[in-house]
Amino acid sequence: MDNYNIETLCVQAGWQPTTGEPRVLPIYQSTTFKYDTSDAMGRLFDLEDSGYFYTRLQNPTNDYVADKICKLEGGVAAMLTSSGQAANYYAVFNITEAGDHVIMSSKIYGGTFNLLTFTMKKMGIECTVVDPDIEEDELNGLFKANTKCVLAESISNPSGVVLDFEKFVRAAHAHGVPLIVDNTFPTPINCRPFEWGVDIVTHSTTKYMDGHAMCVGGCIVDSGNFDWNKYPDKYPGLTTPDESYHGLIYTERFGKAAYITKATTHLMRDLGSIPSPQNSFLLNVGLETLHLRVPKHCANALAVAGYLKSHEKVAWVSYAGLEDDPYHELAMKYMPNGTCGVLCFGIKGGREASIAFMDKLKLACIVTHVADARTCVLHPASHTHRQMTDEQLIEAGVQPDLIRFSVGIENVNDIIADLEQALA
Ligand SMILES: *Cc1c(COP(=O)(O)O)cnc(C)c1O
């Protein structure tokens, strides 16, 4: 499978039936798995053998889908989680504990912002929030002895900021910590962060990967490139004996799979954010057309962005696909085939005018969702980012009048006609 192009991987990677087995990925709708001897089961609990024993930790259907996403990203190991929130939480918490410090981009999904600055803060993990356009020198000055990772989004939701991967990779690696990138918006079809030196990628599979707004889900993929053993004092969870597994050392026993194995054996075991096999089956159906849908989303979004840009009632448009967008140059470098189908704009007349306009849309529905086949629209300041103060909104790149418009894969003329009548 490894030598195939990404379109082929979307369709065929993961489940590989042998003779007489189902052609389509089976749903292993079972919490538990049978063994012939007590000893055989015991060896699984000691991590002596690999195998399935309880779906809270691992399930075959989930793992085949994780394997597909792993190959799409070009990683060495991956795990599915029950949501994108769980993916980002596990990705960070797998290598942090109370007393540690994390650096996070300010241009980030509202849920991730709350997770790091509110919930994980309560767990004793401190977070410094930085503007992704920060000068490299200034970024370098923010690392501390207890900094354990840097977290950012390849294209930020909702503000559409494209990350300068090389700047963040250099800074993270100069301080001996991994860069974790949430690659939900461009998907591996448009951007493969590992090729730019990123260490770990996360996804909300809820968005384009599922593509039909059917299942909430997440994924973590490890590039296998970060050398935990180079900084043994920093990542004791991976490099020193684990008392909850008879003193085994993850990097010694599992090599490049250490990070994902620990996330499974610790975080899934103890916190249990596993997706249901049924949902993973549906996610896999979505993945089979990811390579067809993403370019269509991008082409439609570019046409919509161009239309809005030239409309007299529209105050501003933000879409990195537009040539005069401040992030166009970074987009051309890191995702030359396209960015994503999500764009932002504001209506002249501010917050109230934007809200009134949204209520007039017919084809584009107001939903708390983004990045699926159906065009949809949201006003972050009144919805997803409602908890934030105006100051925090601006810091997160969310102007109070910002409309997040997720362009679907319908006929683009119908989408533009809907905008036209609502603007009128
Ligand atoms: C939606 C989203 C999340 C959270 O994912 P859920 O699946 O809703 O938990 C995280 N990151 C980004 C970029 C998202 O768009």
Side-chain angles (χ1 to χ4, degrees):
M1 266 294 146
D2 294 347
N3 297 327
Y4 288 110
N5 290 294
I6 199 158
E7 296 84 352
T8 309
L9 296 175
C10 281
V11 181
Q12 294 228 13
W15 169 246
Q16 302 298 313
T18 58
T19 184
E21 284 188 316
R23 181 66 192 98
V24 175
L25 169 66
I27 305 171
Y28 287 85
Q29 194 68 44
S30 181
T31 60
T32 190
F33 301 82
K34 176 241 175 197
Y35 288 90
D36 287 342
T37 66
S38 169
D39 183 53
M41 175 91 91
R43 291 175 63 79
L44 298 179
F45 276 89
D46 285 349
L47 306 182
E48 292 284 338
D49 290 338
S50 67
Y52 296 95
F53 52 94
Y54 191 55
T55 287
R56 172 160 29 83
L57 285 93
Q58 277 187 295
N59 173 281
T61 306
N62 297 347
D63 283 354
Y64 287 117
V65 182
D67 183 43
K68 176 179 280 189
I69 297 173
C70 187
K71 289 195 165 60
L72 293 177
E73 287 287 4
V76 298
M79 72 191 293
L80 297 188
T81 56
S82 55
S83 67
Q85 281 300 112
N88 283 319
Y89 173 38
Y90 282 19
V92 173
F93 195 51
N94 202 29
I95 47 173
T96 51
E97 58 186 48
D100 285 345
H101 172 247
V102 171
I103 294 174
M104 177 178 75
S105 166
S106 60
K107 302 293 190 291
I108 204 131
Y109 178 67
T112 310
F113 185 89
N114 283 335
L115 170 67
L116 270 290
T117 62
F118 185 73
T119 301
M120 290 186 81
K121 186 177 170 201
K122 284 192 186 172
M123 299 163 71
I125 296 163
E126 188 204 350
C127 179
T128 300
V129 178
V130 302
D131 186 325
D133 294 334
I134 189 173
E135 291 297 327
E136 194 164 340
D137 284 350
E138 207 186 323
L139 176 59
N140 278 315
L142 297 173
F143 287 81
K144 309 178 189 188
N146 62 343
T147 306
K148 298 299 169 74
C149 65
V150 179
L151 178 65
E153 286 174 5
S154 47
I155 302 177
S156 64
N157 177 6
S159 50
V161 170
V162 177
L163 187 74
D164 187 346
F165 288 107
E166 287 183 331
K167 177 176 72 181
F168 272 78
V169 164
R170 269 196 305 271
H173 291 178
H175 296 87
V177 306
L179 173 61
I180 304 173
V181 166
D182 182 331
N183 197 33
T184 298
F185 267 19
T187 81
I189 300 300
N190 281 345
C191 177
R192 303 221 307 168
F194 295 157
E195 291 171 0
W196 300 98
V198 171
D199 302 286
I200 292 153
V201 159
T202 60
H203 282 280
S204 166
T205 61
T206 316
K207 314 297 165 53
Y208 290 118
M209 285 192 169
D210 171 300
H212 303 78
M214 293 183 296
C215 304
V216 173
C219 186
I220 308 173
V221 189
D222 184 6
S223 69
N225 293 333
F226 193 82
D227 186 0
W228 311 103
N229 278 321
K230 209 167 152 191
Y231 314 98
D233 299 338
K234 234 185 228 178
Y235 303 106
L238 290 164
T239 59
T240 63
D242 177 358
E243 295 316 325
S244 73
Y245 279 108
H246 307 307
L248 83 80
I249 298 173
Y250 285 90
T251 49
E252 242 172 45
R253 178 78 69 80
F254 302 104
K256 282 184 179 296
Y259 173 88
I260 292 292
T261 305
K262 179 174 177 282
T264 301
T265 58
H266 266 195
L267 302 183
M268 277 302 178
R269 181 194 62 183
D270 299 345
L271 303 173
S273 310
I274 200 88
S276 83
Q278 184 85 47
N279 276 10
S280 298
F281 173 85
L282 291 169
L283 169 59
N284 188 53
V285 175
L287 287 168
E288 288 179 3
T289 57
L290 185 67
H291 59 297
L292 299 175
R293 290 182 285 106
V294 166
K296 178 73 175 168
H297 280 289
C298 293
N300 280 359
L302 189 59
V304 168
Y307 165 78
L308 289 170
K309 187 99 194 171
S310 64
H311 199 288
E312 54 174 23
K313 290 190 183 167
V314 175
W316 56 273
V317 181
S318 159
Y319 184 63
L322 289 173
E323 271 174 29
D324 58 352
D325 189 90
Y327 296 98
H328 187 67
E329 205 179 311
L330 285 173
M332 288 310 286
K333 177 173 177 181
Y334 295 117
M335 43 199 86
N337 295 330
T339 53
C340 63
V342 181
L343 55 88
C344 295
F345 64 100
I347 302 281
K348 284 182 188 158
R351 193 183 182 124
E352 296 315 315
S354 290
I355 293 173
F357 156 80
M358 281 176 56
D359 290 347
K360 292 270 186 310
L361 289 165
K362 290 175 181 150
L363 186 69
C365 293
I366 300 174
V367 297
T368 304
H369 203 254
V370 66
D372 74 75
R374 286 160 289 259
T375 296
C376 62
V377 63
L378 183 91
H379 183 235
S382 337
H383 307 138
T384 47
H385 290 59
R386 206 182 174 87
Q387 264 53 278
M388 288 189 178
T389 63
D390 272 7
E391 234 169 44
Q392 285 173 327
L393 282 174
I394 303 287
E395 197 186 336
V398 182
Q399 288 83 342
D401 67 341
L402 182 151
I403 295 169
R404 184 180 73 183
F405 199 74
S406 174
V407 183
I409 55 175
E410 304 93 344
N411 185 303
V412 73
N413 295 328
D414 293 332
I415 302 170
I416 289 174
D418 190 32
L419 290 164
E420 180 101 40
Q421 64 80 23
L423 283 165

